[in-house]
Structures are given as C-alpha cells and as structure tokens.
Amino acid sequence: MILSGKRLDLQPLTAAELSASVGRYTAAALEQSLGLKLAASILDEEMLYAMKVRYSKVLQNEDNYLWFTCWAVIHRGEQQVIGFLILKGQPNERGEVIIGYIIDESHWGQGYATEAVGCVNEWIFSHPEACWVIADTEPDNFASHKVLKHLGAEQYRETEELLWWRIARPQTQR
C-alpha cells in the first residue's frame, strides 16, 4: 500500500525492508531494498535506533504492521526518500495514535512535513476508532510547531523536554 499526496508518496516499510537498516545492514541496503535513493543525512543514529525499535514492533504485530512501522516519505519527482513517519501503534483506548516524523534538512521549508503528516493523518482518521493524532516536539523546534499548527494541532501538554500536540478527527468524519 502507498499513500499519495501532491508531491510525495508514503510507503510503509515491511519487516524485510526495516531489517535492511538494522544490524549489519546499511543505508545502501535500504536504498537497494526500496529501489530509491536516500537523502544524505536521513539515517542518523537516532533514526537507525527508531528503525530497530519499529522492526521489533512489526515482528510482534505482523497482521497490523502498518500501525507499528516507519513509512518512507518519498519525493516522487526525485525518486528519493526524504524522510520518515513513524506510527507507534494502533489507536489506544482514548482513540489516540502517536506519530513521529523527520524530513531531511535539505528539504526543510518546502511544506513536505506538512504534506506527509497530513497524508498519514487522512489514513489514520479513515479508521473509525482513531480520534486523535498525537505528536511531540522539542520546545525549540519552531518549524515542527508550525507544521502541527498548520494541520490544526493544539498543544495540550508540556514538560521540560517536550511539547505534546494533538490533532482531532475532522468533524466531517465523525
């Protein structure tokens, strides 16, 4: 399954594709697995760790892996992975789905994060049990704050390390 926006495609990574980025494998192995180029700095240590966690979650939830995997953000024109979205599980008892996202720095400021998060939100809210999309940001990540506000998010919690945001299911879909 691939989700498509105006300029981007979102492709959920299978266990086999995630395994290309963990252990002894490299970014080149992931590129080969996807048949795409990767933006230069997209697989840093933090993202590789996130992929290892997602890999174990996908193996534990193979039937519902779409809710537990990394989704490659693919720039259709460049045929390049420019980022990742992470879903951290199915809707919980409050209907919340926690997401994370990263866009390669060379593609910042062009609306790609807004497009990618908006696209995955549509898919999430197509499931009736999903009522909220939850994301966290660092307090000084003003670009991410702008992305989330643009998508209708409200800040609802704050700690010293993180701001927590939530996007409600659009009224027309309730």
Side-chain angles (χ1 to χ4, degrees):
M1 171 170 84
I2 294 180
L3 304 177
S4 293
K6 291 179 183 175
R7 306 168 291 171
L8 304 174
D9 289 323
L10 305 180
Q11 180 177 334
L13 301 183
T14 64
E17 290 162 341
L18 283 169
S19 74
S21 64
V22 299
R24 61 184 171 84
Y25 297 103
T26 63
L30 182 59
E31 284 181 348
Q32 184 177 14
S33 169
L34 294 172
L36 299 163
K37 300 178 287 180
L38 291 180
S41 66
I42 202 63
L43 281 182
D44 62 9
E45 289 301 315
E46 189 175 344
M47 191 64 217
L48 286 170
Y49 174 76
M51 287 186 151
K52 288 178 185 178
V53 171
R54 294 296 99 206
Y55 177 63
S56 74
K57 297 291 185 184
V58 165
L59 291 178
Q60 295 168 23
N61 299 281
E62 291 182 52
D63 291 341
N64 295 304
Y65 85 96
L66 297 174
W67 294 99
F68 294 90
T69 194
C70 292
W71 293 62
V73 177
I74 301 165
H75 188 287
R76 200 176 302 123
E78 296 176 10
Q79 283 298 289
Q80 180 178 39
V81 176
I82 62 166
F84 293 99
L85 288 162
I86 298 171
L87 272 63
K88 298 181 181 180
Q90 295 173 276
N92 64 21
E93 64 280 350
R94 293 178 301 281
E96 299 170 331
V97 176
I98 300 172
I99 67 165
Y101 57 92
I102 183 170
I103 299 294
D104 185 70
E105 190 172 348
S106 67
H107 290 82
W108 286 0
Q110 299 173 56
Y112 295 122
T114 302
E115 182 177 340
V117 174
C119 193
V120 83
N121 285 356
E122 285 182 29
W123 179 81
I124 290 169
F125 289 134
S126 75
H127 297 82
E129 65 276 18
C131 299
W132 301 95
V133 171
I134 306 295
D136 63 70
T137 64
E138 294 174 351
D140 62 348
N141 188 343
F142 301 112
S144 238
H145 303 173
K146 184 177 174 183
V147 165
L148 293 167
K149 287 177 185 176
H150 184 77
L151 292 167
E154 63 179 29
Q155 182 189 332
Y156 73 99
R157 196 168 104 202
E158 183 174 345
T159 66
E160 195 171 300
E161 296 86 25
L162 294 172
L163 303 179
W164 291 84
W165 303 83
R166 63 182 172 197
I167 300 170
R169 169 189 288 281
Q171 293 294 325
T172 57
Q173 294 183 8
R174 284 192 180 177

